Amino acid sequence: MRRTRGEERGEDGSALVELVWLGVLLLLPMVWIVVSVFDVQRGAFAVSGAARAAGRAYALAPDDATGRSRAEAAARQALTDQGAGGAPLSLRITCTPYPHDCHSGTSVITVRVSSRVELPLLPDVLGGGAPSFALDATHTVPIGQFQEVTGAGG
């Protein structure tokens, strides 16, 4: 069977339409993946900075209670600086070898900051709220690293 020129014209331009639709269908998920990766990276950087800032603030405080409040404020500020101010924050501080008196002797303070980053542009149709990515970071500081030694030397 032979086609005439008129029958072929019904298909003109359909390849272009198919290419555009295929491009949109592939491009949108790729854009979402790239944006999500950038948001998670920003959150990871924020949590890392928050752990470091909280460790320094705790070590510079005169006592454990003041150190805890300063560490929380420093961690919250570090998250806010990176655009993650609304993210949940969990701060855990441990000390060795004096767990009940972190500001004595040769204590080593370990600060662990945990948070979550919600994935962008994704509705919570999956149930249980918007999907998120858990992040955490630790920072260890010897107690004397950021403190001046008084009465030493002559």
Side-chain angles (χ1 to χ4, degrees):
M1 181 185 275
R2 214 170 156 197
R3 291 187 194 182
T4 63
R5 217 174 157 106
E7 289 176 332
E8 291 176 5
R9 289 189 184 210
E11 296 285 324
D12 283 352
S14 66
L16 181 62
V17 172
E18 290 173 9
L19 182 65
V20 168
W21 276 108
L22 186 62
V24 168
L25 288 176
L26 293 177
L27 185 63
L28 288 179
M30 287 300 291
V31 168
W32 179 80
I33 288 171
V34 168
V35 169
S36 295
V37 167
F38 286 158
D39 276 357
V40 170
Q41 180 61 35
R42 183 190 70 214
F45 187 70
V47 169
S48 175
R52 189 173 58 250
R56 290 176 180 170
Y58 192 90
L60 286 171
D63 56 46
D64 292 350
T66 306
R68 175 84 182 166
S69 65
R70 287 183 183 177
E72 286 180 12
R76 178 57 60 197
Q77 183 61 45
L79 287 176
T80 302
D81 287 348
Q82 294 301 320
L89 173 68
S90 172
L91 184 69
R92 184 171 170 240
I93 301 171
T94 57
C95 303
T96 54
Y98 310 108
H100 300 294
D101 188 13
C102 293
H103 287 84
S104 65
T106 57
S107 288
V108 176
I109 301 165
T110 302
V111 177
R112 180 183 174 122
V113 174
S114 300
S115 186
R116 299 188 80 72
V117 173
E118 289 188 7
L119 297 179
L121 306 173
L122 195 62
D124 47 345
V125 295
L126 303 175
S132 61
F133 199 88
L135 301 167
D136 64 76
T138 59
H139 184 70
T140 303
V141 180
I143 193 63
Q145 184 173 358
F146 296 110
Q147 291 183 343
E148 180 179 339
V149 178
T150 57

